Amino acid sequence: MLIDLHLHSTASDGTDTPAEVMAVAAAAGLHTVALTDHDSAAGWAEASVAARQLGLTLLPGAEISCQIGGIGVHLLAYLYDPENAALLAETTRTRRDRVDRARRMVQRMSHDLDITWADVLEHVGPAATVGRPHLADALVALGMVRSRDEAFDTLLHSRSPYYLPHYSPEAEQVVRMVVAAGGVPVMAHPRADKRGRIVSLADIADLATAGLAGLEVDHRDNAEEDRQVLRELARDLDLLTTGSSDYHGTGKDNRIAENTTRPEVLEQIVALGTAERVVRP
Ligand code: AMP
Ligand code: FE
Ligand code: FE
Ligand code: ZN
């Protein structure tokens, strides 16, 4: 029974529509998946219809952009109420500022490169959460870089002169909000240090005190020795440990189901969250 709880669609920066993501998941032999677009539940309805048709179990979710003292933290939130006012206010604020930030990054680039906001919009799906991957797609289409990967290594890197951060709420606050909204918060790729600073184990312990339910241990961006550290921390703090692909379609090398979550862990996530929100075939 294969379980992959971290997938992106065109509702954020993935390249497959929500229905296509479900089809790819079914073709890969997955039994249960979660759709976790950045700061958005916009793909849930389409994914739910497709999942039922394909015989997949779906946990609606999102990957919420947060920070601790300016260091970026991604929180996977499963089975929460998408209409919860507090959470919706935060994700809406983030999504709005992501557009503004992307426009300002394009403005910065336009001093040196022949790129406009209209070039970017061609690559942003309806209702998509805008991110640097969409800027990367425009740069690829304009022939300025060969791939999203190359764009992130150069023009879009966090140390590039064109880079700007976007608004994101405090992680501890979001953990509390997700729990209050009937959801289950799991910290995504806690040791992904290739593209920016990461928070300390003490910071993770504080999130656990606030209600964090688990750590995404098996993820390609956590090095093997870090996974061991995370497993020990999870034991100490009584946290669940998950594994997921972070599939983005053709936007990233991550292959669907390349990491998976154990069925016992899935059961506990469902038991902690609003179980009625699980979409079953
Ligand atoms: P942003 O949230 O706009 O700052 O952009 C970060 C997003 O870009 C993350 O959600 C990743 O999914 C994506 N990303 C990061 N590095 C790469 C890469 N090398 N290739 C493709 N996508 C990437
Ligand atoms: Fe992404
Ligand atoms: Fe992430
Ligand atoms: Zn992700």
Side-chain angles (χ1 to χ4, degrees):
M1 187 174 130
L2 291 174
I3 301 158
D4 189 342
L5 300 180
H6 186 165
L7 309 173
H8 293 267
S9 75
T10 48
S12 61
D13 55 1
T15 59
D16 299 343
T17 62
E20 285 166 352
V21 174
M22 295 303 116
V24 172
L30 282 160
H31 177 282
T32 299
V33 295
L35 184 71
T36 53
D37 279 302
H38 297 285
D39 307 306
S40 176
W44 289 13
E46 181 184 322
S48 300
V49 172
R52 280 199 192 92
Q53 283 169 356
L54 292 158
L56 276 172
T57 298
L58 169 70
L59 272 60
E63 183 175 18
I64 304 181
S65 314
C66 312
Q67 44 113 6
I68 299 177
I71 300 176
V73 170
H74 282 177
L75 272 186
L76 295 163
Y78 302 114
L79 304 173
Y80 67 93
D81 175 4
E83 282 163 18
N84 178 273
L87 206 46
L88 198 54
E90 283 303 330
T91 54
T92 301
R93 182 170 174 192
T94 300
R95 284 162 46 81
R96 288 206 179 119
D97 194 59
R98 277 173 161 284
V99 176
D100 197 53
R101 169 260 202 159
R103 291 184 80 132
R104 286 183 290 124
M105 282 184 70
V106 170
Q107 202 170 15
R108 282 191 173 197
M109 285 192 277
S110 69
H111 295 304
D112 302 319
L113 303 164
D114 199 4
I115 184 171
T116 66
W117 182 239
D119 294 324
V120 175
L121 281 182
E122 282 180 35
H123 302 276
V124 181
T129 297
V130 175
R132 278 181 288 165
H134 301 107
L135 304 189
D137 291 346
L139 292 166
V140 171
L142 293 167
M144 291 164 183
V145 294
R146 271 161 302 184
S147 63
R148 276 190 179 184
D149 227 24
E150 190 185 329
F152 270 89
D153 282 340
T154 57
L155 299 168
L156 303 181
H157 196 280
S158 58
R159 283 190 296 273
S160 155
Y162 308 120
Y163 177 83
L164 289 167
H166 62 74
Y167 168 79
S168 57
E170 279 292 336
E172 204 175 301
Q173 187 193 359
V174 175
V175 163
R176 292 182 201 283
M177 283 181 183
V178 170
V179 173
V184 186
V186 172
M187 189 176 177
H189 45 68
R191 304 290 272 191
D193 57 2
K194 285 201 190 72
R195 292 178 199 278
R197 292 187 299 156
I198 54 169
V199 299
S200 69
L201 299 184
D203 287 329
I204 297 176
D206 288 342
L207 294 185
T209 306
L212 186 72
L215 301 176
E216 187 184 50
V217 173
D218 291 315
H219 181 289
R220 66 158 64 201
D221 294 351
N222 297 327
E224 195 46 57
E225 47 295 6
D226 285 328
R227 295 185 195 189
Q228 211 41 53
V229 171
L230 291 172
R231 277 191 201 98
E232 275 166 37
L233 184 71
R235 254 196 305 277
D236 291 347
L237 299 174
D238 199 20
L239 295 172
L240 302 170
T241 57
T242 68
S244 305
S245 68
D246 206 354
Y247 176 76
H248 280 69
T250 58
K252 261 183 162 181
D253 292 338
N254 307 34
R255 286 164 293 108
I256 203 160
E258 69 177 18
N259 286 296
T260 55
T261 294
R262 286 176 296 125
E264 312 86 82
V265 173
L266 173 67
E267 261 177 51
Q268 294 181 74
I269 290 173
V270 171
L272 285 170
T274 307
E276 307 91 81
R277 260 187 208 108
V278 177
V279 177
R280 297 188 192 276

